[in-house]
Amino acid sequence: MLTDRQRQTLNFIRDFIDENGYPPKLKEIGNHLGITSRGTVHRYIRALEDENLIRVSTGRSRGIELVDNETPGDESIADHENTLPVVGTIAAGLPIEAIEDQETINLNDFFVRPGRFVLRVQGDSMIEDGIFDGDMVIMESCQTARDNEIVIALIDQDEATLKRIKNNQDGSITLIPANASMQPFRYSAERVTIQGRIVGQFRAY
Amino acid sequence: MLTDRQRQTLNFIRDFIDENGYPPKLKEIGNHLGITSRGTVHRYIRALEDENLIRVSTGRSRGIELVDNETPGDESIADHENTLPVVGTIAAGLPIEAIEDQETINLNDFFVRPGRFVLRVQGDSMIEDGIFDGDMVIMESCQTARDNEIVIALIDQDEATLKRIKNNQDGSITLIPANASMQPFRYSAERVTIQGRIVGQFRAY
DNA sequence: AGTATATGCTAACTGACAGACAACGGCAAA
DNA sequence: TTTGCCGTTGTCTGTCAGTTAGCATATACT
């Protein structure tokens, strides 16, 4: 996992190469980061090399090289246009400023996987878990689930619901809504078919 | 990998040929680079030849020739399946089956727009709106907000929080948490700066 | 308090590089 | 032939970029 400064360094190297066609030297990186010490910059370079994100020709000026990081082609463009910057954490936080070198997140990379699908949630049964009426949940197909996972359970091959699951000792299954006004229900294993477990959730305002 | 001086030399050779139709001699290159020594220039020529960027007719005056450097276009389209199928609505619904004609959703198309960014939420102040500690919210930069929108409000240029907003008649602003254990706060307009309004929210399990 | 990590600085070492210069050989004009 | 231009090769020296190590501070975690 990269630190902020390491990420900023990597981003700058990418941008620099993108713009100039050749990599920056330590001093140029430091200049961008507001660091006067080449030694400090060099430590970041080493860290990025350890993470296998860049390759370094030791001793040479401008000896930094980016490592091809999978998903060829699509990335150069898509990764710029299909990402959202993660600015930070909102808490009792500081002002949100226009910061250049931020972590970014690609929602598709984040959520899209084979075997996943989206459902629109209807009803309030999972409201206490923050899943509201109208929300979209991203599910992953599966046949079994561990305790406490939120799953789509098909009951009697007829009715599908989104609930938290508990596998009981006797083989039966309890489906637990996240709503104080609703009761958990217990079913024999034969009556319940798991169709998927939740891996994500999103909502548009 | 070229050094700065080597790159400058190559660029000058290109420009020179482009302008005059014939390549420069060592002295002319050196003159452009501020070098009086032909020997030094010659070393650059050799380096460029080693890199296969130029060809040299040994011994001849103006014997430099550019090498055609075609960059094979990397047109990897990689039109990935960046979409998730929207299977339907989960309520007291029917079994989830493999349905043919599915609606699909591309999360990036759905959420990614210029001027948007992501924040990780810390704390429980919006818990009743289904925004939990650790959730990610997608914000859109803006300076004003209508009543009842969830916004990032910067208070006294110091502290940023995520709250529901109400513009009062007298010009003051009330920020309303979605947590029964917390109180709305009222601020004079000067103390509050809106930094963005919520447009989406997501969560990974 | 004590430890660990992240960040920044200075200082010194090393090797690559840049430039000057000298010397040699080919070639063409005087 | 001689002279001078030009490319070529090699050496010497100073500078610069990368590297390494040591010291200091701030923050988070035990």
Side-chain angles (χ1 to χ4, degrees), chain B residues 104-187:
Chain B
T104 65
I105 188 168
N106 182 313
L107 289 177
N108 283 342
D109 290 350
F110 201 66
F111 279 125
V112 181
R113 298 270 189 289
R116 293 190 175 180
F117 55 93
V118 169
L119 281 177
R120 182 184 301 276
V121 175
Q122 197 170 80
D124 295 331
S125 67
M126 298 301 288
I127 202 168
E128 288 165 16
D129 280 335
I131 302 174
F132 285 21
D133 190 11
D135 282 6
M136 310 290 271
V137 288
I138 301 165
M139 308 298 300
E140 188 161 86
S141 293
C142 66
Q143 281 72 49
T144 62
R146 281 171 300 196
D147 278 2
N148 228 32
E149 280 190 323
I150 299 174
V151 300
I152 297 176
L154 180 63
I155 302 167
D156 296 333
Q157 303 298 317
D158 178 35
E159 178 185 344
T161 67
L162 190 69
K163 293 286 184 302
R164 200 171 284 277
I165 195 171
K166 184 170 186 308
N167 298 287
N168 301 314
Q169 296 283 353
D170 60 6
S172 68
I173 289 172
T174 302
L175 298 178
I176 310 165
N179 187 328
S181 68
M182 303 171 94
Q183 297 300 319
F185 269 100
R186 186 176 192 148
Y187 300 91

Coordinates of all heavy atoms in Angstrom, one line a residue, chain B residues 104-187:
Chain B
T104 N -28.7 -3.2 -18.5 CA -27.3 -3.2 -17.9 C -27.0 -1.8 -17.4 O -27.6 -0.8 -17.8 CB -26.3 -3.6 -18.8 OG1 -26.2 -2.6 -19.9 CG2 -26.6 -5.0 -19.4
I105 N -26.1 -1.7 -16.5 CA -25.7 -0.4 -15.9 C -24.2 -0.3 -15.9 O -23.5 -1.3 -15.6 CB -26.3 -0.2 -14.5 CG1 -26.0 1.2 -14.1 CG2 -25.7 -1.2 -13.5 CD1 -26.8 1.5 -12.8
N106 N -23.7 0.8 -16.4 CA -22.2 1.0 -16.4 C -22.0 2.0 -15.2 O -22.4 3.2 -15.3 CB -21.8 1.6 -17.7 CG -20.3 1.8 -17.7 OD1 -19.7 2.4 -16.7 ND2 -19.6 1.4 -18.7
L107 N -21.4 1.6 -14.2 CA -21.2 2.4 -13.0 C -20.5 3.7 -13.3 O -20.8 4.8 -12.8 CB -20.5 1.6 -11.9 CG -21.3 0.5 -11.3 CD1 -20.4 -0.3 -10.3 CD2 -22.5 1.1 -10.6
N108 N -19.5 3.6 -14.2 CA -18.8 4.8 -14.5 C -19.7 5.8 -15.2 O -19.7 7.0 -14.9 CB -17.5 4.5 -15.4 CG -16.4 3.9 -14.5 OD1 -16.4 4.1 -13.3 ND2 -15.5 3.3 -15.2
D109 N -20.4 5.3 -16.2 CA -21.3 6.2 -16.9 C -22.3 6.8 -16.0 O -22.8 7.9 -16.1 CB -22.0 5.5 -18.0 CG -21.1 5.1 -19.2 OD1 -19.9 5.6 -19.2 OD2 -21.5 4.3 -20.1
F110 N -22.6 6.0 -15.0 CA -23.7 6.4 -14.1 C -23.2 7.5 -13.1 O -24.0 8.4 -12.8 CB -24.1 5.1 -13.3 CG -25.4 5.2 -12.6 CD1 -26.6 5.2 -13.4 CD2 -25.6 5.2 -11.3 CE1 -27.8 5.3 -12.8 CE2 -26.8 5.2 -10.7 CZ -27.9 5.3 -11.4
F111 N -22.0 7.4 -12.7 CA -21.6 8.3 -11.6 C -20.5 9.2 -12.0 O -20.4 10.3 -11.5 CB -21.0 7.4 -10.4 CG -22.1 6.9 -9.6 CD1 -22.2 5.6 -9.3 CD2 -23.1 7.8 -9.0 CE1 -23.2 5.1 -8.5 CE2 -24.1 7.3 -8.2 CZ -24.2 5.9 -7.9
V112 N -19.6 8.8 -13.0 CA -18.5 9.7 -13.2 C -18.8 10.8 -14.1 O -19.3 10.7 -15.2 CB -17.3 8.8 -13.9 CG1 -16.1 9.7 -14.1 CG2 -17.0 7.6 -13.0
R113 N -18.6 12.0 -13.6 CA -18.7 13.3 -14.3 C -17.6 14.2 -13.9 O -17.1 14.1 -12.8 CB -20.1 13.9 -13.9 CG -21.3 13.2 -14.2 CD -21.9 13.4 -15.6 NE -23.2 12.8 -15.7 CZ -23.4 11.5 -15.8 NH1 -22.3 10.7 -15.8 NH2 -24.6 11.0 -16.0
P114 N -17.3 15.1 -14.8 CA -16.3 16.1 -14.4 C -16.8 16.9 -13.1 O -18.0 17.2 -13.0 CB -16.2 17.1 -15.6 CG -16.7 16.2 -16.7 CD -17.7 15.3 -16.2
G115 N -15.9 17.2 -12.3 CA -16.2 18.0 -11.1 C -16.7 17.2 -10.0 O -17.2 17.7 -8.9
R116 N -16.7 15.9 -10.1 CA -17.1 15.0 -9.0 C -15.9 14.4 -8.3 O -14.9 14.2 -8.9 CB -18.0 13.9 -9.5 CG -19.4 14.5 -10.1 CD -20.3 13.4 -10.3 NE -21.6 13.9 -10.7 CZ -22.7 13.2 -11.0 NH1 -22.6 11.9 -11.0 NH2 -23.8 13.8 -11.3
F117 N -16.1 14.1 -7.1 CA -15.1 13.4 -6.4 C -15.7 12.5 -5.3 O -16.9 12.6 -5.0 CB -14.1 14.4 -5.7 CG -14.8 15.5 -4.9 CD1 -14.9 15.2 -3.5 CD2 -15.3 16.6 -5.4 CE1 -15.5 16.2 -2.7 CE2 -16.0 17.5 -4.6 CZ -16.1 17.3 -3.2
V118 N -14.8 11.7 -4.7 CA -15.3 10.8 -3.7 C -14.7 11.1 -2.3 O -13.6 11.5 -2.2 CB -14.9 9.3 -4.1 CG1 -15.1 8.3 -3.0 CG2 -15.6 8.9 -5.4
L119 N -15.5 10.9 -1.3 CA -15.0 11.0 0.0 C -15.4 9.8 0.8 O -16.5 9.2 0.6 CB -15.7 12.3 0.7 CG -15.1 13.6 0.4 CD1 -15.9 14.7 1.1 CD2 -13.6 13.7 0.8
R120 N -14.5 9.4 1.7 CA -14.9 8.4 2.6 C -15.5 9.0 3.8 O -15.0 10.0 4.4 CB -13.6 7.6 3.0 CG -13.9 6.4 3.9 CD -12.6 5.7 4.3 NE -11.9 5.2 3.2 CZ -12.1 4.1 2.6 NH1 -13.0 3.3 3.1 NH2 -11.4 3.7 1.6
V121 N -16.6 8.5 4.3 CA -17.3 9.1 5.4 C -16.8 8.5 6.7 O -16.6 7.3 6.8 CB -18.8 8.8 5.2 CG1 -19.6 9.3 6.5 CG2 -19.4 9.4 4.0
Q122 N -16.6 9.4 7.6 CA -16.2 8.9 8.9 C -17.2 9.4 9.9 O -17.6 10.6 9.9 CB -14.8 9.6 9.2 CG -14.1 8.9 10.4 CD -12.7 9.4 10.5 OE1 -12.4 10.5 11.0 NE2 -11.7 8.6 10.0
G123 N -17.7 8.6 10.7 CA -18.6 9.0 11.7 C -20.1 8.6 11.4 O -20.4 8.1 10.3
D124 N -21.0 8.8 12.3 CA -22.3 8.3 12.2 C -23.4 9.4 12.1 O -24.5 9.2 12.3 CB -22.7 7.5 13.5 CG -21.8 6.2 13.6 OD1 -21.4 5.7 12.5 OD2 -21.5 5.8 14.7
S125 N -22.9 10.6 11.7 CA -23.8 11.7 11.7 C -25.0 11.6 10.7 O -26.0 12.2 10.8 CB -23.1 13.0 11.6 OG -22.6 13.1 10.3
M126 N -24.8 10.8 9.7 CA -25.8 10.6 8.6 C -26.4 9.2 8.6 O -26.8 8.8 7.5 CB -25.2 11.0 7.3 CG -24.7 12.5 7.2 SD -26.0 13.7 7.6 CE -27.0 13.5 6.0
I127 N -26.3 8.6 9.7 CA -26.6 7.2 9.7 C -28.1 6.9 9.3 O -28.4 5.9 8.7 CB -26.3 6.6 11.1 CG1 -26.1 5.1 11.0 CG2 -27.3 7.0 12.1 CD1 -25.5 4.5 12.3
E128 N -28.9 7.8 9.7 CA -30.4 7.5 9.4 C -30.7 7.8 7.9 O -31.8 7.4 7.5 CB -31.2 8.4 10.3 CG -31.2 8.0 11.7 CD -31.7 9.0 12.7 OE1 -32.4 10.0 12.2 OE2 -31.5 8.9 13.9
D129 N -29.8 8.4 7.2 CA -29.9 8.5 5.8 C -29.2 7.4 5.0 O -29.0 7.4 3.8 CB -29.4 9.9 5.3 CG -30.4 11.0 5.5 OD1 -31.6 10.6 5.6 OD2 -30.0 12.1 5.6
G130 N -28.8 6.4 5.8 CA -28.2 5.2 5.2 C -26.7 5.5 4.8 O -26.2 4.7 4.0
I131 N -26.1 6.5 5.3 CA -24.7 6.8 5.1 C -24.0 6.4 6.3 O -24.0 7.1 7.4 CB -24.5 8.3 4.7 CG1 -25.3 8.6 3.5 CG2 -23.0 8.5 4.5 CD1 -25.3 10.1 3.1
F132 N -23.2 5.3 6.2 CA -22.6 4.8 7.4 C -21.1 5.1 7.5 O -20.5 5.5 6.5 CB -22.7 3.2 7.4 CG -24.1 2.8 7.8 CD1 -25.2 3.6 7.6 CD2 -24.3 1.5 8.2 CE1 -26.5 3.2 8.0 CE2 -25.6 1.0 8.5 CZ -26.7 1.8 8.4
D133 N -20.6 4.9 8.6 CA -19.1 5.1 8.8 C -18.4 4.1 7.8 O -18.7 2.9 7.8 CB -18.8 4.7 10.3 CG -17.3 5.1 10.6 OD1 -16.7 5.8 9.8 OD2 -16.9 4.7 11.7
G134 N -17.5 4.7 7.1 CA -16.8 3.9 6.1 C -17.3 3.9 4.7 O -16.7 3.5 3.8
D135 N -18.5 4.4 4.5 CA -19.1 4.5 3.2 C -18.4 5.5 2.4 O -17.7 6.4 2.9 CB -20.6 4.9 3.3 CG -21.5 3.7 3.7 OD1 -20.9 2.7 4.0 OD2 -22.7 3.9 3.7
M136 N -18.5 5.4 1.1 CA -18.0 6.4 0.1 C -19.1 7.2 -0.4 O -20.2 6.6 -0.8 CB -17.2 5.6 -1.0 CG -16.2 4.6 -0.5 SD -14.8 5.3 0.3 CE -13.7 5.5 -1.1
V137 N -19.0 8.5 -0.5 CA -20.0 9.3 -1.1 C -19.4 10.0 -2.3 O -18.2 10.4 -2.3 CB -20.5 10.4 -0.1 CG1 -21.4 9.7 1.0 CG2 -19.4 11.1 0.6
I138 N -20.2 10.1 -3.3 CA -19.8 10.8 -4.5 C -20.4 12.2 -4.5 O -21.6 12.4 -4.3 CB -20.3 10.0 -5.8 CG1 -19.7 8.6 -5.8 CG2 -19.9 10.8 -7.0 CD1 -20.4 7.7 -6.7
M139 N -19.5 13.2 -4.5 CA -19.9 14.5 -4.4 C -19.7 15.3 -5.7 O -18.9 14.9 -6.5 CB -19.1 15.2 -3.3 CG -19.0 14.5 -1.9 SD -20.6 14.3 -1.1 CE -21.1 16.0 -1.0
E140 N -20.5 16.3 -5.9 CA -20.3 17.2 -7.0 C -20.0 18.6 -6.5 O -20.8 19.1 -5.6 CB -21.6 17.2 -7.9 CG -21.5 17.9 -9.2 CD -22.6 17.5 -10.1 OE1 -23.6 18.1 -10.1 OE2 -22.3 16.6 -10.9
S141 N -19.0 19.1 -7.0 CA -18.6 20.5 -6.5 C -19.7 21.5 -6.8 O -20.3 21.5 -7.9 CB -17.3 20.9 -7.3 OG -16.2 20.2 -6.9
C142 N -20.0 22.3 -5.8 CA -20.9 23.3 -6.0 C -20.8 24.3 -4.9 O -20.2 24.0 -3.9 CB -22.4 22.8 -6.1 SG -22.9 22.1 -4.5
Q143 N -21.3 25.5 -5.1 CA -21.2 26.5 -4.0 C -22.5 26.8 -3.3 O -22.5 27.3 -2.2 CB -20.8 27.9 -4.7 CG -19.3 27.9 -5.0 CD -18.9 27.0 -6.2 OE1 -19.5 27.1 -7.2 NE2 -17.9 26.2 -5.9
T144 N -23.6 26.4 -3.9 CA -24.9 26.6 -3.2 C -25.7 25.3 -3.3 O -25.3 24.3 -4.0 CB -25.7 27.6 -4.0 OG1 -26.0 27.2 -5.3 CG2 -25.0 29.0 -4.0
A145 N -26.6 25.2 -2.4 CA -27.4 24.0 -2.3 C -28.8 24.3 -2.0 O -29.1 25.3 -1.3 CB -26.8 23.0 -1.3
R146 N -29.8 23.5 -2.4 CA -31.2 23.7 -2.1 C -31.5 23.0 -0.7 O -30.7 22.1 -0.3 CB -32.1 23.2 -3.2 CG -32.2 24.2 -4.3 CD -32.9 23.6 -5.5 NE -32.2 22.4 -5.9 CZ -32.4 21.8 -7.1 NH1 -33.3 22.3 -7.9 NH2 -31.7 20.7 -7.5
D147 N -32.6 23.4 -0.2 CA -33.0 22.8 1.1 C -33.0 21.3 0.9 O -33.4 20.8 -0.1 CB -34.4 23.3 1.4 CG -34.3 24.7 2.1 OD1 -33.2 25.2 2.3 OD2 -35.3 25.2 2.5
N148 N -32.6 20.7 2.0 CA -32.7 19.2 2.1 C -31.7 18.4 1.3 O -31.7 17.2 1.3 CB -34.1 18.8 1.6 CG -34.7 17.9 2.7 OD1 -34.4 18.0 3.9 ND2 -35.5 16.9 2.2
E149 N -30.8 19.1 0.6 CA -29.7 18.4 0.0 C -28.7 18.1 1.0 O -28.5 18.8 2.0 CB -29.1 19.3 -1.2 CG -30.0 19.2 -2.4 CD -29.2 19.9 -3.6 OE1 -28.5 20.9 -3.4 OE2 -29.4 19.3 -4.7
I150 N -28.0 17.0 0.7 CA -26.9 16.7 1.6 C -25.6 17.3 1.0 O -25.3 17.0 -0.2 CB -26.7 15.1 1.7 CG1 -28.0 14.5 2.3 CG2 -25.5 14.8 2.5 CD1 -28.0 13.0 2.4
V151 N -24.9 18.0 1.8 CA -23.8 18.8 1.3 C -22.6 18.6 2.2 O -22.7 18.2 3.4 CB -24.1 20.3 1.2 CG1 -25.3 20.5 0.3 CG2 -24.4 20.9 2.6
I152 N -21.4 19.0 1.6 CA -20.2 19.2 2.5 C -20.2 20.6 2.8 O -20.2 21.5 2.0 CB -19.0 18.8 1.7 CG1 -19.0 17.3 1.4 CG2 -17.7 19.1 2.6 CD1 -17.8 17.0 0.5
A153 N -20.3 20.9 4.1 CA -20.3 22.3 4.6 C -19.0 22.5 5.3 O -18.6 21.8 6.2 CB -21.5 22.5 5.5
L154 N -18.3 23.6 4.9 CA -17.1 24.0 5.6 C -17.4 25.1 6.5 O -17.9 26.1 6.1 CB -16.1 24.4 4.5 CG -14.7 24.9 5.1 CD1 -14.0 23.8 5.8 CD2 -13.9 25.4 3.9
I155 N -17.2 24.9 7.8 CA -17.6 25.8 8.8 C -16.3 26.6 9.3 O -15.3 26.0 9.7 CB -18.2 25.1 10.0 CG1 -19.5 24.3 9.5 CG2 -18.6 26.1 11.1 CD1 -20.0 23.4 10.5
D156 N -16.4 27.9 9.2 CA -15.3 28.8 9.7 C -14.0 28.4 9.0 O -12.9 28.5 9.5 CB -15.1 28.6 11.2 CG -16.3 29.2 12.0 OD1 -17.0 30.0 11.4 OD2 -16.6 28.7 13.1
Q157 N -14.1 28.0 7.7 CA -12.9 27.7 6.9 C -12.1 26.6 7.6 O -10.9 26.6 7.4 CB -12.1 28.9 6.6 CG -12.9 30.0 6.0 CD -13.4 29.6 4.6 OE1 -12.7 29.0 3.8 NE2 -14.6 29.9 4.3
D158 N -12.7 25.9 8.5 CA -11.8 25.0 9.3 C -12.3 23.6 9.3 O -11.5 22.7 9.0 CB -11.8 25.6 10.7 CG -11.0 24.7 11.6 OD1 -10.0 24.2 11.1 OD2 -11.4 24.6 12.8
E159 N -13.6 23.4 9.5 CA -14.1 22.0 9.8 C -15.1 21.7 8.7 O -16.0 22.4 8.5 CB -14.7 22.0 11.2 CG -15.3 20.7 11.5 CD -16.0 20.8 12.9 OE1 -15.8 21.7 13.6 OE2 -16.8 19.9 13.2
A160 N -14.9 20.6 8.1 CA -15.8 20.2 7.0 C -16.7 19.0 7.5 O -16.2 18.1 8.1 CB -15.1 19.8 5.8
T161 N -18.0 19.1 7.3 CA -18.9 18.0 7.7 C -19.9 17.7 6.6 O -20.2 18.5 5.7 CB -19.6 18.3 9.0 OG1 -20.5 19.4 8.7 CG2 -18.7 18.7 10.1
L162 N -20.4 16.5 6.7 CA -21.4 16.1 5.7 C -22.8 16.2 6.4 O -23.0 15.5 7.4 CB -21.2 14.7 5.3 CG -22.0 14.1 4.1 CD1 -21.6 14.8 2.8 CD2 -21.8 12.6 4.0
K163 N -23.6 17.1 5.9 CA -24.9 17.3 6.6 C -26.0 17.6 5.6 O -25.7 18.0 4.5 CB -24.8 18.4 7.6 CG -23.9 18.1 8.8 CD -24.5 17.2 9.8 CE -23.6 17.0 11.0 NZ -22.2 16.5 10.6
R164 N -27.2 17.5 6.1 CA -28.4 18.0 5.3 C -28.5 19.5 5.5 O -28.3 19.9 6.7 CB -29.6 17.2 5.7 CG -30.7 17.3 4.6 CD -31.8 16.3 5.0 NE -31.5 14.9 4.8 CZ -31.7 14.3 3.6 NH1 -32.1 15.0 2.5 NH2 -31.4 13.1 3.4
I165 N -28.8 20.2 4.5 CA -28.8 21.7 4.6 C -30.2 22.2 4.6 O -31.1 21.7 4.0 CB -28.0 22.3 3.5 CG1 -27.7 23.7 3.8 CG2 -28.7 22.2 2.2 CD1 -26.7 24.3 2.9
K166 N -30.4 23.3 5.3 CA -31.6 24.1 5.2 C -31.3 25.6 5.2 O -30.6 26.1 6.1 CB -32.5 23.8 6.4 CG -33.9 24.5 6.3 CD -34.9 24.0 7.4 CE -36.2 24.6 7.1 NZ -36.2 26.0 7.0
N167 N -31.7 26.3 4.2 CA -31.5 27.7 4.1 C -32.6 28.4 4.8 O -33.7 28.4 4.3 CB -31.4 28.1 2.6 CG -30.3 27.5 1.9 OD1 -29.1 27.8 2.1 ND2 -30.6 26.5 1.1
N168 N -32.3 29.1 5.9 CA -33.4 29.7 6.7 C -33.8 31.1 6.0 O -33.0 31.7 5.3 CB -32.9 29.9 8.1 CG -32.5 28.6 8.7 OD1 -33.3 27.6 8.6 ND2 -31.4 28.6 9.4
Q169 N -34.9 31.5 6.5 CA -35.5 32.8 6.0 C -34.5 33.9 6.2 O -34.3 34.8 5.4 CB -36.8 33.1 6.6 CG -37.9 32.1 6.3 CD -38.5 32.2 4.9 OE1 -38.2 33.2 4.2 NE2 -39.4 31.3 4.5
D170 N -33.9 34.0 7.4 CA -33.1 35.1 7.7 C -31.7 35.0 7.2 O -30.8 35.8 7.5 CB -33.0 35.2 9.3 CG -32.4 34.0 9.9 OD1 -32.0 33.1 9.1 OD2 -32.4 33.8 11.1
G171 N -31.5 34.1 6.3 CA -30.2 34.0 5.6 C -29.2 33.1 6.3 O -28.2 32.7 5.8
S172 N -29.6 32.7 7.5 CA -28.7 31.7 8.2 C -28.9 30.3 7.6 O -29.8 30.1 6.8 CB -29.0 31.7 9.7 OG -30.3 31.2 9.9
I173 N -28.0 29.4 8.0 CA -28.0 28.1 7.5 C -28.1 27.1 8.6 O -27.3 27.2 9.6 CB -26.8 27.9 6.6 CG1 -26.9 28.7 5.3 CG2 -26.6 26.4 6.3 CD1 -25.7 28.6 4.5
T174 N -28.9 26.1 8.5 CA -29.0 25.1 9.5 C -28.5 23.8 8.9 O -28.9 23.4 7.8 CB -30.4 24.9 10.0 OG1 -30.9 26.1 10.5 CG2 -30.5 23.8 11.0
L175 N -27.6 23.1 9.6 CA -27.0 21.9 9.1 C -27.6 20.8 10.0 O -27.5 20.8 11.2 CB -25.5 21.9 9.2 CG -24.8 22.9 8.3 CD1 -23.3 22.9 8.5 CD2 -25.2 22.7 6.9
I176 N -28.2 19.8 9.4 CA -29.0 18.8 10.1 C -28.4 17.4 9.9 O -28.4 16.9 8.8 CB -30.5 18.8 9.6 CG1 -31.0 20.2 9.5 CG2 -31.3 17.9 10.4 CD1 -32.3 20.3 8.7
P177 N -28.0 16.9 11.0 CA -27.5 15.5 10.9 C -28.6 14.5 10.8 O -29.7 14.9 11.2 CB -26.7 15.3 12.3 CG -27.3 16.3 13.2 CD -27.8 17.5 12.3
A178 N -28.3 13.4 10.3 CA -29.4 12.3 10.3 C -29.1 11.3 11.3 O -28.7 10.1 11.1 CB -29.4 11.7 8.9
N179 N -29.1 11.8 12.6 CA -28.8 10.9 13.7 C -29.6 11.5 14.9 O -29.3 12.6 15.3 CB -27.3 10.9 13.9 CG -27.0 9.9 15.0 OD1 -27.7 9.7 16.0 ND2 -25.8 9.3 14.9
A180 N -30.5 10.8 15.4 CA -31.4 11.3 16.5 C -30.6 11.8 17.7 O -31.0 12.6 18.4 CB -32.4 10.2 16.9
S181 N -29.4 11.2 17.8 CA -28.6 11.6 19.0 C -27.8 12.9 18.8 O -27.1 13.3 19.7 CB -27.7 10.5 19.4 OG -26.7 10.3 18.4
M182 N -28.0 13.5 17.6 CA -27.2 14.7 17.4 C -28.2 15.8 17.0 O -29.3 15.6 16.5 CB -26.2 14.5 16.2 CG -25.3 13.3 16.5 SD -24.3 12.9 15.0 CE -22.8 13.8 15.3
Q183 N -27.7 17.0 17.3 CA -28.6 18.2 17.1 C -28.2 18.9 15.9 O -27.1 19.0 15.5 CB -28.4 19.1 18.3 CG -28.8 18.5 19.6 CD -30.3 18.2 19.6 OE1 -31.1 18.9 19.1 NE2 -30.6 17.0 20.2
P184 N -29.3 19.5 15.2 CA -29.0 20.4 14.1 C -28.3 21.7 14.7 O -28.5 22.0 15.8 CB -30.4 20.8 13.6 CG -31.3 19.7 14.1 CD -30.7 19.2 15.4
F185 N -27.5 22.3 13.8 CA -26.8 23.5 14.2 C -27.1 24.6 13.2 O -27.2 24.3 12.0 CB -25.3 23.3 14.3 CG -24.8 22.9 15.7 CD1 -24.6 21.5 16.0 CD2 -24.7 23.8 16.7 CE1 -24.2 21.2 17.3 CE2 -24.3 23.5 18.0 CZ -24.1 22.1 18.3
R186 N -27.2 25.7 13.8 CA -27.5 26.9 12.9 C -26.3 27.8 12.9 O -25.7 28.1 13.9 CB -28.7 27.6 13.5 CG -29.3 28.7 12.7 CD -30.5 29.3 13.3 NE -31.2 30.2 12.5 CZ -32.6 30.3 12.5 NH1 -33.3 29.6 13.3 NH2 -33.1 31.2 11.7
Y187 N -26.0 28.3 11.7 CA -24.8 29.1 11.5 C -25.2 30.3 10.7 O -26.1 30.3 9.8 CB -23.7 28.4 10.7 CG -23.2 27.1 11.5 CD1 -23.8 25.9 11.2 CD2 -22.2 27.2 12.4 CE1 -23.3 24.8 11.8 CE2 -21.7 26.1 13.0 CZ -22.3 24.8 12.7 OH -21.9 23.7 13.4

